[in-house]
Amino acid sequence: MTPFEVPEGDPFGPHNLPYGVFSPAGSDHRTVGVRLGDHVLDAGAAAHALGSPYAALLARPTLNPLLAAGRTAWSDVRRALTAWVTVPSHQETVAPFLHPLSSVTLHLPFEVADYVDFYASEHHARNVGQIFRPDAADSLTPNWKHLPIGYHGRAGTVVVSGTDVVRPSGQRRVPGEDAPVFGPSVRLDIEAEVGFVVGVPSRLGRPVPMTDFREHVFGLCLLNDWSARDIQAWEYVPLGPFLGKSFATSVSAWITPLDALEEARVRPPERTHPLLPYLDDSEEEPGGYDLRISVAVNGHVVSEPPFSTMYWTAAQQLAHLTVNGAALRTGDLYASGTVSGPEPGQRGSLLELTWNGRDPLELPEGKRTFLEDGDVVTLSAWAPGPHGTRVGLGEVTGRIVAG
Ligand SMILES: O=C(O)/C=C/C(=O)CC(=O)CC(=O)O
Ligand SMILES: [Ca+2]
Ligand SMILES: [Mg+2]
């Protein structure tokens, strides 16, 4: 069997073709790779060999030039790649540029410009509201159904899947005490999220309407927004998350283009409150995505959050984050917010899964409330593809190491 004969049912068949950046075995040269089954195609080298005009976009150490090239180029490159891996005469030419996935090193696929994290799951927001603000009349804040809440995070600490996460130290308050103590976080958590990658910039002072979402956003990835709950709970009033989340954010090595996810588009949940015109998506194309996420701790699946339950869509989030005229840059990354479904087994954080440590998870190696040194967390996901196929979103994994 040649690498082009991807087994039926493989979520990385030619219907997917996600993009990453890799170095071949024994080399530190970085270049754009496209995943096909268990192989990575050196897309720039393949383009050169075929005399393709896209070589200039693909023989690069990051995806940023491709991201900046815009939607027409994105579709043209995808069409070309599909032909290279499926048409026999092209297959022959590009075969020397396929590398076994197990032999390459995967890198952070793009230079992250600005990073924003949203809070778009109603189930997550209600759970966290009940845990952090038990005395509030409503678990949702009064603004929640009127705008996608978010904050600007730290772009420079976004790391690729497989990077170790050093347990952060900081201030926390021991219940019942007035003054804080300093030390390693004892409530280190995960947040299972989806990251959206901006390709085409926008002009300062010009909001980007929801209808232009596909002109600007190239694709999506899996994202783990590591969160130190004890640091967060003490520091977040009144300006929001700061050091409790800025120490590391992990993304998957593969960026799935939105063009591979057409069959996964779904209507978001029923809107319970009328929306201001710039966020009103009642007349728009379905803005949700049916992504089935799985969260594993040390190889044991502890949760299966369904992305289709997210209240706010990525198009609404883009419209909101630019509505004040803030400009987009190539490489901007915005995270969906923790994905939690309505069922207990669908929660996207340990904070919720263990109800702030009250109900530990039973793992074969013992009870878990929050993460211990040496724990490995892996998020993986797939989406429905054409003709009953699955589109694999790969995985984002990280191991906790002592600070
Ligand atoms: O409600 C709060 O005070 C805190 C919320 C979070 O920690 C969630 C967050 O970072 C946004 C998200 O991922 O949904
Ligand atoms: Ca988050
Ligand atoms: Mg984070």
Side-chain angles (χ1 to χ4, degrees):
M1 217 158 91
T2 76
F4 298 107
E5 294 165 279
V6 178
E8 209 176 287
D10 189 312
F12 294 98
H15 60 291
N16 187 345
L17 303 180
Y19 296 87
V21 167
F22 77 103
S23 298
S27 158
D28 56 10
H29 175 75
R30 295 181 185 214
T31 196
V32 170
V34 172
R35 180 163 174 184
L36 180 70
D38 291 336
H39 285 77
V40 181
L41 177 69
D42 180 336
H48 269 302
L50 287 162
S52 157
Y54 306 121
L57 286 180
L58 297 171
R60 296 295 191 99
T62 99
L63 290 177
N64 291 52
L66 175 64
L67 298 180
R71 193 174 175 187
T72 306
W74 302 339
S75 335
D76 290 350
V77 170
R78 182 168 163 79
R79 211 173 302 115
L81 281 162
T82 307
W84 301 348
V85 300
T86 57
V87 176
S89 57
H90 292 325
Q91 286 177 339
E92 205 174 301
T93 312
V94 306
F97 309 114
L98 279 170
H99 301 257
L101 184 57
S102 57
S103 73
V104 307
T105 305
L106 296 169
H107 303 285
L108 187 65
F110 61 102
E111 283 164 37
V112 183
D114 289 298
Y115 169 53
V116 166
D117 182 24
F118 282 99
Y119 190 38
S121 157
E122 180 171 355
H123 308 290
H124 171 72
R126 287 194 182 281
N127 289 338
V128 176
Q130 284 171 40
I131 293 168
F132 276 5
R133 295 173 285 277
D135 301 328
D138 190 350
S139 54
L140 287 187
T141 49
N143 55 357
W144 203 93
K145 287 289 178 93
H146 298 280
L147 55 81
I149 297 176
Y151 64 93
H152 282 89
R154 193 163 188 84
T157 52
V158 176
V159 296
V160 72
S161 176
T163 307
D164 284 348
V165 173
V166 177
R167 180 179 297 273
S169 283
Q171 291 194 20
R172 66 175 188 276
R173 189 164 69 173
V174 178
E177 303 286 324
D178 287 338
V181 297
F182 182 88
S185 169
V186 296
R187 293 189 168 232
L188 187 52
D189 198 359
I190 58 154
E191 289 189 332
E193 307 198 25
V194 173
F196 290 84
V197 181
V198 172
V200 174
S202 66
R203 276 177 58 192
L204 189 63
R206 295 278 180 88
V208 176
M210 285 185 296
T211 45
D212 284 357
F213 168 70
R214 296 291 292 268
E215 306 303 319
H216 292 274
V217 174
F218 172 79
L220 54 77
C221 59
L222 286 172
L223 183 146
N224 187 346
D225 175 21
W226 305 96
S227 299
R229 299 301 179 191
D230 41 3
I231 297 174
Q232 179 187 355
W234 168 238
E235 76 177 358
Y236 87 103
V237 183
L239 291 186
F242 187 35
L243 303 179
K245 284 166 176 285
S246 62
F247 57 95
T249 303
S250 299
V251 293
S252 50
W254 299 108
I255 309 298
T256 305
L258 294 183
D259 283 341
L261 293 166
E262 275 305 292
E263 281 76 10
R265 292 173 68 177
V266 288
R267 291 225 161 271
E270 188 96 23
R271 275 67 179 83
T272 53
H273 291 58
L275 292 171
L276 288 167
Y278 79 97
L279 293 172
D280 182 355
D281 62 351
S282 51
E283 305 293 318
E284 302 293 331
E285 297 273 285
Y289 283 95
D290 179 10
L291 315 176
R292 323 281 176 92
I293 303 170
S294 163
V295 181
V297 179
N298 300 330
H300 310 288
V301 174
V302 297
S303 176
E304 294 185 315
F307 191 75
S308 59
T309 60
M310 299 298 273
Y311 192 85
W312 296 103
T313 69
Q316 288 173 316
Q317 291 173 332
L318 190 74
H320 187 64
L321 87 84
T322 60
V323 75
N324 63 350
L328 299 172
R329 292 192 291 171
T330 298
D332 281 359
L333 170 69
Y334 63 101
S336 60
T338 310
V339 185
S340 289
E343 307 298 330
Q346 297 179 326
R347 294 171 177 164
S349 66
L350 295 172
L351 176 73
E352 297 162 88
L353 285 164
T354 69
W355 213 257
N356 205 17
R358 187 194 67 189
D359 310 324
L361 295 174
E362 306 279 351
L363 298 182
E365 59 267 43
K367 286 185 197 293
R368 272 299 175 288
T369 51
F370 293 94
L371 296 170
E372 298 187 2
D373 292 345
D375 281 350
V376 175
V377 179
T378 305
L379 313 180
S380 53
W382 61 274
H387 316 296
T389 56
R390 288 182 175 196
V391 177
L393 302 188
E395 62 173 39
V396 58
T397 190
R399 183 170 59 112
I400 306 301
V401 299

